[in-house]
Amino acid sequence: MKSLSIIIPCFNEEEVLRESYRRTKAVLDTLPCDAEIIYVNDGSRDRTRMILDELAASDRRVKVLHFSRNFGHQPAVSAGIKNCHTDLAIIMDADLQDPPELIPEILALREKEQANSVYCVRRSRDKESFFKLFTARLFYRTMNRMSEVEFPLDTGDFRLIDRKIMNEFNRLHEHGKYIRGLVSWIGFKQVPFYYERKARVAGETKYPLSKMIRFASNALLYFSKKPLRLAMGLGFIAVIIGIILAIWFMLGKLYGFSNAETGWTSIMTVVVFFGGVQLLTIGVLGQYIGVLFDEIKNRPEYIIDEKRNYTDNETD
């Protein structure tokens, strides 16, 4: 059996951390392999840092990365993968919506299929609102239609990846990572594992509507050029409509079937339509330029303030 790391990003998870550790540790104790837990503290403002330090002091299998501030969920997962030195890694959240008790089944499926990745597909999502379920369903299907890469539907970051995928992932230096999309883009053999997603044990979601929208827009911008083509198509349609209206008004002037010169409705309609198309096109271009701006600055994706239970030769 190969060595295993459980990568768990944390942001203000003081209410669930001890229970999450207890259940994860109980599973690791049953595995016939070397296993560890890598907690990534994403700049938490509650007692998360103190609790993680206590867990690391009591258990050498617990490794901790403390960020200098909050950088976001995807950078936290990236840091966990970068600082993982085992053969296999499982990415999961601290809120226990992804049950650690499923780890042995995921490992067994990987072994049976000889897969490089096992991505976990949600059959159901316990105690989540209709709006959350609807927007999640819409997001995954929109991404599949807009992207050049086909993504598994109804999956999150809960997945197993092997050393081959981790090595290739660490070669990707882009910012604004959409990790579940990048793992699909990397390829190799990937198989689904179906499960029932549980409700949070405690605490509140760290993905309010504003973060969900930003996450979805980043995923779309980094994996698709179709919004640019759509903006170009709208511009082309606007030009055609403009030409048709110009011909219509000119013929109406010559043959007397239009009194456009005395009306303002047609003028306002054309101005609003063309103005909207132009603003939409500029907005789409601006989003892509913003992505380029972030990439050109080449700032680090995250900054690690402190590490716990890492040896000198375990560096990122």
Side-chain angles (χ1 to χ4, degrees):
M1 179 68 73
K2 298 183 176 183
S3 55
L4 172 70
S5 292
I6 310 298
I7 299 172
I8 304 179
C10 306
F11 178 63
N12 294 343
E13 299 287 4
E14 64 176 0
E15 296 180 67
V16 297
L17 262 181
R18 295 190 188 279
E19 178 64 12
S20 173
Y21 166 72
R22 184 191 67 79
R23 286 174 55 178
T24 304
K25 177 180 178 296
V27 172
L28 297 189
D29 288 341
T30 67
L31 298 179
C33 66
D34 293 332
E36 64 183 17
I37 308 173
I38 301 176
Y39 288 104
V40 185
N41 175 25
D42 185 23
S44 299
R45 294 185 290 270
D46 59 1
R47 298 172 62 251
T48 294
R49 181 167 188 149
M50 184 190 73
I51 295 172
L52 289 178
D53 286 343
E54 290 176 359
L55 294 177
S58 64
D59 188 346
R60 295 296 300 177
R61 295 183 300 176
V62 173
K63 295 182 176 180
V64 180
L65 303 171
H66 292 299
F67 280 0
S68 62
R69 64 170 178 83
N70 177 242
F71 285 92
H73 182 272
Q74 300 295 280
V77 175
S78 296
I81 296 174
K82 185 74 172 179
N83 289 272
C84 172
H85 304 282
T86 53
D87 301 311
L88 303 172
I90 291 179
I91 304 163
M92 59 191 302
D93 289 335
D95 56 18
L96 296 173
Q97 287 186 288
D98 306 325
E101 290 77 14
L102 297 178
I103 290 174
E105 297 178 49
I106 295 172
L107 291 171
L109 179 61
R110 189 213 73 85
E111 186 68 22
K112 175 184 176 183
E113 299 289 340
Q114 290 296 294
N116 302 102
S117 175
V118 177
Y119 56 89
C120 299
V121 183
R122 305 153 179 155
R123 282 201 185 99
S124 65
R125 300 163 68 123
D126 192 20
K127 295 184 180 179
E128 292 194 355
S129 66
F130 171 79
F131 178 76
K132 174 76 172 179
L133 295 173
F134 173 77
T135 53
R137 183 179 178 85
L138 179 65
F139 167 72
Y140 288 114
R141 283 147 185 82
T142 302
M143 279 296 299
N144 258 350
R145 292 185 65 88
M146 298 291 284
S147 174
E148 289 82 9
V149 180
E150 185 175 352
F151 304 126
L153 298 177
D154 303 319
T155 63
D157 289 320
F158 185 27
R159 64 187 61 227
L160 177 147
I161 54 178
D162 69 358
R163 174 49 53 190
K164 183 180 288 187
I165 288 183
M166 284 188 274
N167 289 341
E168 295 302 325
F169 180 86
N170 289 333
R171 294 174 57 203
L172 305 176
H173 301 299
E174 62 198 71
H175 296 73
K177 285 188 174 75
Y178 175 53
I179 290 175
R180 62 198 74 167
L182 287 173
V183 173
S184 297
W185 178 86
I186 287 171
F188 302 118
K189 185 174 183 180
Q190 306 193 21
V191 297
F193 175 84
Y194 296 91
Y195 77 110
E196 312 292 333
R197 194 166 203 232
K198 305 299 183 181
R200 287 182 63 93
V201 171
E204 299 179 351
T205 177
K206 305 307 184 295
Y207 263 90
L209 181 60
S210 59
K211 282 191 175 182
M212 288 171 56
I213 293 174
R214 187 162 60 249
F215 177 72
S217 63
N218 279 345
L220 186 60
L221 291 172
Y222 272 85
F223 274 91
S224 177
K225 296 186 285 294
K226 287 185 180 179
L228 288 173
R229 299 191 190 109
L230 177 62
M232 185 173 66
L234 286 174
F236 179 76
I237 292 171
V239 170
I240 296 299
I241 292 175
I243 293 173
I244 293 172
L245 287 175
I247 294 173
W248 173 262
F249 292 142
M250 182 180 67
L251 293 176
K253 179 76 172 178
L254 291 174
Y255 296 103
F257 61 79
S258 172
N259 60 346
E261 69 277 3
T262 61
W264 61 272
T265 303
S266 58
I267 296 175
M268 292 301 298
T269 301
V270 171
V271 169
V272 170
F273 179 78
F274 278 98
V277 170
Q278 290 172 348
L279 289 174
L280 175 63
T281 305
I282 292 171
V284 171
L285 287 172
Q287 290 293 314
Y288 279 96
I289 291 171
V291 168
L292 291 174
F293 180 61
D294 286 338
E295 295 295 330
I296 290 170
K297 288 185 292 188
N298 199 30
R299 292 176 181 169
E301 190 179 2
Y302 53 83
I303 297 174
I304 296 177
D305 174 40
E306 191 175 11
K307 294 183 178 184
R308 297 290 187 186
N309 287 345
Y310 275 89
T311 61
D312 292 339
N313 61 336
E314 292 178 323
T315 59
D316 59 355

